[in-house]
Structure formats: C-alpha cells, structure tokens
Amino acid sequence: RKEVEQDPGPFNVPEGATVAFNCTYSNSASQSFFWYRQDCRKEPKLLMSVYSSGNEDGRFTAQLNRASQYISLLIRDSKLSDSATYLCVVNVKGKSTFGDGTTLTVKP
Amino acid sequence: DAMVIQNPRYQVTQFGKPVTLSCSQTLNHNVMYWYQQKSSQAPKLLFHYYDKDFNNEADTPDNFQSRRPNTSFCFLDIRSPGLGDAAMYLCATSRGPPDSGGETQYFGPGTRLLVL
C-alpha cells in the first residue's frame, strides 16, 4: 500500500462545476498536509495547507480528517484555469511524501 | 523575482557521462531538497540538506550524489546516467528545521534531463 493515495482520476468537468478530490495517508504520525498544484511540465506550487479545522481560500476548501486519515480538496465554480494536476502532500518529521496526483480538466 | 533557480532548464547528456544540475535560492532557507519526477508520477525525494547535514533516502541509488558548498547553492551529481535516469529533477527549499513538521516547500522550475 502506498503511503499517500489519491483518487485515480482524471476528472473532466464543465466550467462552473464543483469537484472534490480525496487523499488518504497511512502514517498516523503524519504532522502536516498540503495540496500542491502542478501544471504540465512545470514545478509543483503550493495551493494551500490543510488544517484540522479546515480552511478555505476563495473557491478552494481543504479538510483534514485525522481519525480516518484523509484529506480533501473541494473546488467550487471551476474555471478553465483550474485545469492541472493536484498533488496531495503529507509531511512526517520533515519528510514530504507526495501522492501521484489527480488530473483535472475543466472544459468550456 | 525568482526564489529557487535551477540551471539548466533542459540538459541532454550521453549514457554514462557524468552530469551536474544546479540549484540556487534567494530565500536563505536552511533546507534544500532534490526530487526526481518521472512522467505521470509523484516527485520522489532523493536527499536533502539541513544546513550542511546531508540526509540520503534509503532507496536513492549510489549513482546520485549531492553537494552544498554554501547556504545558497546545492548541486545534484549523476555519476553515470542511465536511460532510466531521464526525468525532471526538482530542487526545493524550506525554512526548516526539517523535523518541524510544518514546513512549506518552495520548488524551483526543474531541470528536465534527457539521456541519449
């Protein structure tokens, strides 16, 4: 079993749709959690950190469930520019483990 | 303003010919990381430096080495590249210390390595 597993995707959605990604992790000692966005042939860029209380940044909402060991990312009102691969990252004592990513394509 | 810079952006080398990739940062971060990312896969951590302390991942091949001569620069040396080493190599930094558990990593644009 992989340490970090993401929805296999790809997700193809129309503009304006709401889409949710899930990510599960196996190490209960995991300390911090992030969502990164990676555009084709570019580097990963931090989208948002994920906190137990949940956090929201505009159209993006991230949630953490420590008991069930999963994190989620919700994107509301999808834009064409949201098309990218979304990487779940789990950090244990400074070591970051990436999920394989979920690819989102938003279509007109 | 570039914060994590990688050079070159594209590197072509021959099978078995040593190659060095470079990374520099203007963030004055303590920790620098090297990742390997192959197509449609997650970035895989090769090693990291916390200041001058080198930390190698257990499954990183001996073919990969790293140097950090000062805070700003870190190099990835591939002693004898094989065809399977063709990938994107990503450098990242964080403020550290690496066991703090909450550090955001900032990535450079990557160097895409092609092995002929």
Side-chain angles (χ1 to χ4, degrees):
Chain A
R1 184 187 170 191
K2 290 184 178 181
E3 290 183 54
V4 178
E5 294 201 63
Q6 293 188 237
D7 285 347
F11 285 67
N12 297 301
V13 303
E15 271 189 292
T18 295
V19 61
F21 305 140
N22 287 324
C23 170
T24 58
Y25 59 95
S26 59
N27 190 338
S28 59
S30 298
Q31 296 167 288
S32 56
F33 311 86
F34 306 89
W35 283 102
Y36 278 76
R37 169 195 170 128
Q38 187 171 27
D39 292 290
C40 188
R41 303 179 77 83
K42 298 285 185 67
E43 76 274 21
K45 292 188 176 178
L46 180 67
L47 181 64
M48 57 200 308
S49 304
V50 189
Y51 306 113
S52 295
S53 55
N55 48 306
E56 187 174 313
D57 183 3
R59 298 180 293 108
F60 298 84
T61 301
Q63 296 276 355
L64 166 63
N65 185 319
R66 284 191 182 270
S68 301
Q69 295 185 196
Y70 78 84
I71 68 174
S72 63
L73 177 68
L74 182 75
I75 306 176
R76 290 181 299 277
D77 189 23
S78 300
K79 310 291 185 191
L80 296 177
S81 58
D82 293 335
S83 298
T85 296
Y86 291 83
L87 297 164
C88 167
V89 182
V90 175
N91 189 304
V92 180
K93 292 188 177 180
K95 178 179 176 180
S96 293
T97 301
F98 286 72
D100 284 340
T102 300
T103 299
L104 171 66
T105 301
V106 181
K107 298 186 175 181
Chain B
D1 294 334
M3 296 184 291
V4 184
I5 303 161
Q6 290 189 244
N7 286 304
R9 295 292 306 278
Y10 299 91
Q11 176 73 55
V12 181
T13 190
Q14 292 178 328
F15 182 93
K17 184 176 181 181
V19 65
T20 294
L21 310 182
S22 73
C23 176
S24 63
Q25 52 130 342
T26 60
L27 297 163
N28 203 33
H29 280 175
N30 294 312
V31 192
M32 296 186 77
Y33 307 82
W34 279 105
Y35 289 87
Q36 178 193 67
Q37 187 177 26
K38 297 187 177 181
S39 181
S40 301
Q41 296 183 20
K44 179 180 178 301
L45 182 64
L46 296 173
F47 24 60
H48 75 272
Y49 274 94
Y50 176 45
D51 288 338
K52 294 187 177 183
D53 292 335
F54 177 69
N55 298 272
N56 198 30
E57 292 300 302
D59 57 353
T60 297
D62 292 339
N63 197 25
F64 292 87
Q65 304 285 322
S66 186
R67 297 171 282 134
R68 189 179 185 186
N70 54 54
T71 300
S72 300
F73 286 87
C74 195
F75 300 98
L76 170 62
D77 301 308
I78 308 176
R79 294 192 296 187
S80 182
L83 297 179
D85 296 328
M88 170 84 96
Y89 290 88
L90 294 160
C91 174
T93 73
S94 67
R95 206 170 51 239
D99 61 351
S100 63
E103 291 299 317
T104 299
Q105 294 186 27
Y106 298 86
F107 284 84
T111 295
R112 191 167 293 278
L113 178 69
L114 180 63
V115 181
L116 300 179

